[in-house]
Amino acid sequence: MTVGERYRLLRRLSADGVGETWEAFDSRLDRSVALRLVTAGRAAALPTREDGPRPLDGGTDPTYGSFLVYELAAALEATER
């Protein structure tokens, strides 16, 4: 499964009422990232934390809808807090 013509979903890391977070492979930059698929209508409800992972990319995929991309290590660290 590919999101945004660039991110290949590898494994689901977590899910909640706002969406799902996946480990994904960025084919343009040749690295793993965290990709958040956002439930329709919930993008405005995404929590933001000053010490949370910094978004790298985002957009809308015709099949999966809205998504955000983060550095994988920072996203994994944030889920452990």
Side-chain angles (χ1 to χ4, degrees):
M1 301 182 303
T2 301
V3 177
E5 298 180 1
R6 160 179 187 173
Y7 303 102
R8 184 170 39 92
L9 301 180
L10 301 175
R11 66 183 173 114
R12 190 167 86 168
L13 301 173
S14 66
D16 58 26
V18 179
E20 298 179 348
T21 301
W22 288 75
E23 178 179 355
F25 184 77
D26 181 342
S27 62
R28 284 190 198 157
L29 298 179
D30 194 32
R31 67 177 178 173
S32 291
V33 296
L35 186 141
R36 179 91 165 142
L37 295 174
V38 182
T39 304
R42 298 300 299 254
L46 283 174
T48 56
R49 292 174 45 167
E50 189 173 306
D51 62 342
R54 179 177 57 93
L56 301 174
D57 191 16
T60 304
D61 181 88
T63 302
Y64 298 101
S66 298
F67 66 92
L68 295 168
V69 178
Y70 302 92
E71 292 178 352
L72 181 60
L76 291 173
E77 182 180 300
T79 60
E80 294 173 359
R81 290 185 205 144

